[in-house]
Amino acid sequence: MNKLFVGGLADNIQEMDLAIFVSLHGKIDTIKVVRDRATGKCKGYAFIEVASLDDAKNIISMLNGETFKGNVITVKLSEEVAPKKPAPKPRPTDAFKSKRPRLQR
């Protein structure tokens, strides 16, 4: 599965409009338009999954730099980012103790 990044989208874009536009150049599997949770408007980018590397290359070569709904879009292969490992919890040691002197009672 090849994931494509599509950037420069208008804020009122619909998944179906993007699907029709892209599917002219290759077979797509899924489309995810990234939206703002509060407003529901597109954040300006989307991810498209394509089964074939040939289709992915064709989509990139045909659509990168083209105008869609008044905006020039960027299409490129998405770099997969490995999930971050949680930081280890610090263990209590003398190094974390306060440097202030204790009050004598």
Side-chain angles (χ1 to χ4, degrees):
M1 191 68 57
N2 301 291
K3 188 181 272 191
L4 299 176
F5 169 83
V6 182
L9 297 173
D11 62 353
N12 61 350
I13 193 75
Q14 297 297 318
E15 283 84 353
M16 191 55 73
D17 295 337
L18 186 59
I20 292 169
F21 183 67
V22 174
S23 66
L24 298 173
H25 305 288
K27 185 178 181 306
I28 56 175
D29 289 334
T30 60
I31 291 182
K32 172 64 178 160
V33 174
V34 180
R35 297 187 180 280
D36 183 84
R37 287 184 183 173
T39 63
K41 291 185 178 182
C42 176
K43 286 189 172 184
Y45 61 98
F47 293 98
I48 299 174
E49 288 186 347
V50 181
S52 165
L53 183 59
D54 292 333
D55 282 345
K57 288 181 179 179
N58 189 43
I59 291 169
I60 293 168
S61 67
M62 297 301 288
L63 298 182
N64 190 32
E66 291 296 315
T67 303
F68 179 60
K69 299 257 182 187
N71 293 3
V72 176
I73 61 171
T74 302
V75 183
K76 61 183 180 179
L77 277 173
S78 175
E79 294 96 22
E80 293 292 328
V81 178
K84 293 182 180 179
K85 293 182 181 178
K89 293 182 180 177
R91 295 183 182 198
T93 62
D94 292 339
F96 292 109
K97 289 186 177 179
S98 174
K99 304 270 185 197
R100 295 185 344 201
R102 289 187 142 178
L103 294 176
Q104 299 292 324
R105 292 188 183 206

